[in-house]
Amino acid sequence: MSGTKTYRDIFNLKGRKAIVTGGSRGIGKGLAEALAAHGADVAIVVKSSMDRAETLVDELKVSGVDSFAIKADVADEDDVKRMVQTVVDRWGRIDILVNNAGIVLPANAEDCTLDSWRQTMAVNLDGVFLTSQAVGRQMIKQKSGSIINIGSMSGRIVNWPFRHAAYNVSKAGVHMLTKCLATEWAEHGIRVNAIAPGYIMTELTDEVLKEHPTVVSEHWAKGAVQNRIGTVEELAGVTIYLASGASSFTTGEIVTVDGGLTLR
Ligand code: NAP
């Protein structure tokens, strides 16, 4: 690589075709906006909130990219296949997949029902597998693509005092699946990486805050060496890096973005 122009363009995503699951709100919405801001066309996948997804689609289109919303449950194989086919029919290819859809169902281990355990695994782990597999088949044909999985610091540590073993295990699985897919698909020109966020203020965390209003000051911020929780915008830079040619020699990596929470 030589010349300043080449370096200036390494984050350019103009014309790239992206899918963001769980893209109607929170982290997924922010990452969809970031990808579009760098020129990518973005398909927004949601389970239920189509109204919100359509509003985002309109906003993204105003910024000059193509965008559309698709209703699909990432835990349902037929839904995922249909969703991926819809994107390929429209754009002919998929360059970027952000596996962001996820749920957390807090429960003490001794009380967690098998249904609750399986529901968590179905969305957080099966969903990443099924969507990566369906998109991966297309990327293998193209001989290129970047998959970004949203894992969690909870895949690395037990973020005490919160009790959601199923969530932690599902996210640890996402991290290992990231490494497996990166290894298997490198020969096809596909890179697979994960982001492991710390506490990020979204509607998901709002729900916890309603029940435990002091949780930020007592636990979440206190645990991080930066003494605060993060914003959705603070995950945008690493996402653009992993989606773009800037990270062409990076694969199988789990990038932690947690204000230093897992340091001590
Ligand atoms: P959120 O506000 O609850 O948003 C979750 C999104 O996932 C929603 O758009 C939802 O769509 C979608 N979704 C849920 N189940 C789905 C399914 N079965 N199929 C398709 N879409 C589904 O969550 P968030 O805080 O932005 O979190 C996003 C991701 O980051 C999750 O994987 C989460 O585990 C991870 N994460 C979050 C934090 C944090 O502090 N916020 C920290 C670490 C990791 P509908 O609205 O249509 O249901």
Side-chain angles (χ1 to χ4, degrees):
M1 189 180 286
S2 66
T4 51
K5 182 175 183 298
T6 315
Y7 284 118
R8 210 177 293 128
D9 286 348
I10 59 176
F11 296 107
N12 189 359
L13 299 177
K14 195 163 174 38
R16 304 272 179 93
K17 312 302 180 194
I19 296 174
V20 180
T21 68
S24 68
R25 67 182 216 184
I27 291 172
K29 178 171 185 270
L31 301 189
E33 289 169 340
L35 291 166
H38 283 258
D41 299 324
V42 188
I44 309 292
V45 179
V46 291
K47 186 179 176 195
S48 53
S49 46
M50 276 300 272
D51 287 355
R52 282 205 279 198
E54 296 289 5
T55 304
L56 175 61
V57 161
D58 291 343
E59 285 168 21
L60 298 185
K61 281 181 167 171
V62 168
S63 75
V65 302
D66 191 19
S67 180
F68 65 109
I70 312 173
K71 198 168 170 177
D73 180 348
V74 296
D76 181 310
E77 188 173 11
D78 290 338
D79 256 22
V80 170
K81 284 182 178 165
R82 177 186 49 78
M83 177 275 285
V84 171
Q85 192 57 52
T86 305
V87 177
V88 174
D89 287 347
R90 181 164 174 137
W91 287 332
R93 60 184 294 114
I94 303 165
D95 301 296
I96 300 157
L97 166 64
V98 181
N99 277 312
N100 164 78
I103 58 169
V104 56
L105 304 173
N108 295 334
E110 66 273 26
D111 300 324
C112 179
T113 63
L114 187 55
D115 269 359
S116 172
W117 175 273
R118 285 189 173 145
Q119 202 185 334
T120 306
M121 295 302 163
V123 178
N124 293 7
L125 190 51
D126 299 358
V128 174
F129 170 68
L130 291 171
T131 313
S132 298
Q133 185 184 56
V135 170
R137 287 172 179 154
Q138 172 62 29
M139 288 178 169
I140 286 170
K141 285 188 214 159
Q142 301 166 190
K143 297 197 177 309
S144 70
S146 173
I147 297 176
I148 302 164
N149 296 326
I150 306 303
S152 174
M153 66 173 175
S154 306
R156 296 187 53 204
I157 57 155
V158 179
N159 52 335
W160 197 250
F162 302 99
R163 294 162 192 241
H164 38 55
Y167 180 80
N168 298 354
V169 171
S170 72
K171 292 298 184 178
V174 168
H175 294 180
M176 180 47 90
L177 181 59
T178 299
K179 295 178 192 185
C180 295
L181 297 181
T183 304
E184 287 200 29
W185 291 348
E187 68 193 48
H188 301 297
I190 302 168
R191 296 182 299 104
V192 188
N193 292 286
I195 300 169
Y199 291 113
I200 306 292
M201 193 50 78
T202 66
E203 287 173 46
L204 188 78
T205 49
D206 279 349
E207 283 163 25
V208 183
L209 274 174
K210 270 182 220 147
E211 277 191 42
H212 309 282
T214 57
V215 74
V216 173
S217 55
E218 284 176 10
H219 297 289
W220 293 356
K222 205 170 155 191
V225 297
Q226 288 187 334
N227 198 29
R228 65 178 178 86
I229 63 171
T231 65
V232 170
E233 290 74 18
E234 289 175 306
L235 299 174
V238 67
T239 303
I240 299 304
Y241 166 69
L242 293 175
S244 68
S247 61
S248 55
F249 199 44
T250 302
T251 196
E253 193 56 52
I254 317 299
V255 185
T256 302
V257 182
D258 68 352
L261 193 142
T262 50
L263 281 177
R264 55 183 184 184

